[in-house]
Amino acid sequence: MKKLVVYQKTAVGYKRELLNSFGKGAQKHGVNVEFWDKDTLTNSDYALVFAYRSTGMGTPVHLFREKVYTNNPNSFFIDSNVLKYYETPETRMFRLPFKSIHPHEADFLDIDEDTKKKTDRIKKEYKIEVKDWRTKGDHILLSLNRGIGGFSSFGKPCYEWAKETVLELRKHTDRNILIRSHVHAKINDDLIEDRKNLDWILKNVKGVRHTALGQSDMNDDLKNAWATIVYTTTSGAVSLLKGIPTFTLHPACFFYKFGSGDLSNIENPNLPNRDEFLNYYSNAHWSQKEMEDGTFWEKFKRQRYE
């Protein structure tokens, strides 16, 4: 019998409830589950943590998350919904990477006929209409990561990335550029210093303007957009479904393989298959109910259990 340890100390509040739901679903499929409420390690075939350690975070919870994964590479993680923009409190879903928190290293389950049925259900629940690819547009939207923090930024300062990207774009296009800042969880000295890169862009590069999450809606920023460019932020998934070519500049972006190519292609972007993206999304995302009633574990056991 396989053993799963649910490391409850990696989360608090409703996040801990999600961890426990995952464990209950495993129990329904004969897995020996230990709900471990200690900040120490114990042996098991599988481990479950909430999210991962964010860059620069040294709190006990963040350090313990990293420690669990280092001890057991066969770890599951509970992460945020790539299509959070569309969800409601009744349709919340969570990403369940296995073996790595980073999408390009994670082992997501294989697409099958059940996946396609689930995709149809999600499109209906989220009211997703996959738009035709846009053939006209004015500006290019740069949708930034959250400052320097977060495990998906890999320590790359957001405005430094924006400066590098804007300068590269100017080699290939003279279209207007709109830089959209993420909401910053913590304004610190590093972010204030990095902001100088944004100031430099606005002063020295023509045709560039700036907005921030909360100052404008994503839909407004996407109006008349020719393309969207992201580092690893999941916000580009909205652009992708709205038919706006989306360029993904880091392999850890969840939809990297559905990006429109290199920035040299900005005026002639690749146009990926969005149905394939949605099937990929469906296989990686699960509701709390699907965790607890064993739906996820039924598929995991069928496809990955050894």
Side-chain angles (χ1 to χ4, degrees):
M1 180 184 293
K2 297 290 186 179
K3 180 180 178 181
L4 165 71
V5 172
V6 174
Y7 283 94
Q8 296 177 320
K9 288 288 188 181
T10 62
V12 295
Y14 85 91
K15 297 175 181 178
R16 183 174 290 201
E17 293 176 13
L18 289 171
L19 294 175
N20 290 338
S21 290
F22 187 90
K24 291 174 183 176
Q27 285 179 323
K28 288 180 169 63
H29 288 277
V31 180
N32 175 20
V33 179
E34 188 161 9
F35 296 91
W36 193 254
D37 193 21
K38 302 175 184 178
D39 56 5
T40 56
L41 300 173
T42 185
N43 293 328
S44 64
D45 299 289
Y46 304 110
L48 173 66
V49 300
F50 191 90
Y52 194 55
R53 180 188 177 188
S54 295
T55 301
M57 292 296 289
T59 65
V61 169
H62 281 258
L63 291 173
F64 189 50
R65 291 172 179 174
E66 183 178 48
K67 189 176 181 180
V68 171
Y69 174 59
T70 301
N71 179 68
N72 192 339
N74 284 331
S75 290
F76 294 95
F77 306 85
I78 297 181
D79 199 4
S80 60
N81 185 359
V82 169
L83 295 182
K84 189 177 181 69
Y85 181 86
Y86 293 95
E87 75 176 16
T88 66
E90 294 75 33
T91 60
R92 292 191 73 183
M93 300 189 76
F94 304 88
R95 204 180 335 163
L96 296 181
F98 179 51
K99 295 190 175 182
S100 175
I101 190 69
H102 302 299
H104 64 313
E105 299 171 343
D107 180 11
F108 294 116
L109 297 179
D110 303 328
I111 294 172
D112 55 19
E113 288 304 314
D114 290 338
T115 306
K116 297 172 184 177
K117 293 176 183 177
K118 180 178 174 180
T119 296
D120 290 339
R121 189 195 82 224
I122 290 171
K123 288 172 67 176
K124 183 176 180 180
E125 289 179 350
Y126 281 4
K127 298 180 173 62
I128 291 174
E129 180 183 355
V130 180
K131 301 285 188 179
D132 292 338
W133 286 109
R134 189 170 293 183
T135 57
K136 296 180 181 179
D138 172 35
H139 65 278
I140 297 167
L141 176 65
L142 265 63
S143 189
L144 273 53
N145 275 60
R146 183 191 302 166
I148 301 172
F151 49 78
S152 63
S153 71
F154 297 90
K156 183 68 172 179
C158 64
Y159 297 121
E160 178 184 300
W161 174 81
K163 181 179 178 181
E164 294 171 357
T165 304
V166 166
L167 291 176
E168 180 63 25
L169 277 174
R170 281 294 176 253
K171 298 176 184 178
H172 310 289
T173 183
D174 60 359
R175 291 181 188 270
N176 292 327
I177 298 171
L178 173 60
I179 298 175
R180 176 183 172 86
S181 292
H182 195 290
V183 61
H184 301 304
K186 183 179 181 182
I187 305 297
N188 54 29
D189 291 341
D190 289 337
L191 185 60
I192 293 171
E193 180 66 23
D194 184 38
R195 172 88 188 201
K196 294 177 182 177
N197 286 303
L198 176 62
D199 296 337
W200 186 93
I201 296 169
L202 297 175
K203 181 179 179 181
N204 293 281
V205 184
K206 292 182 179 180
V208 181
R209 57 192 178 94
H210 172 252
T211 187
L213 195 154
Q215 294 179 349
S216 62
D217 185 83
M218 185 70 170
N219 272 327
D220 294 330
D221 294 342
L222 290 173
K223 285 179 181 177
N224 299 318
W226 167 252
T228 298
I229 304 173
V230 301
Y231 184 60
T232 60
T233 179
T234 59
S235 63
V238 179
S239 170
L240 193 68
L241 294 177
K242 289 183 179 295
I244 302 167
T246 304
F247 291 77
T248 56
L249 301 191
H250 193 288
C253 179
F254 179 80
F255 43 92
Y256 179 75
K257 60 184 177 182
F258 302 99
S260 286
D262 187 82
L263 290 184
S264 61
N265 296 340
I266 192 68
E267 294 295 338
N268 188 29
N270 299 330
L271 303 177
N273 185 320
R274 271 85 53 81
D275 290 333
E276 291 181 2
F277 161 71
L278 285 169
N279 285 331
Y280 173 63
Y281 164 87
S282 296
N283 251 22
H285 290 77
W286 304 82
S287 67
Q288 184 171 0
K289 179 179 182 298
E290 288 174 318
M291 294 183 217
E292 188 162 331
D293 68 13
T295 300
F296 169 82
W297 271 94
E298 186 280 326
K299 190 166 187 175
F300 180 83
K301 190 172 182 180
R302 175 162 38 92
Q303 293 190 354
R304 296 290 186 273
Y305 212 55
E306 297 177 356

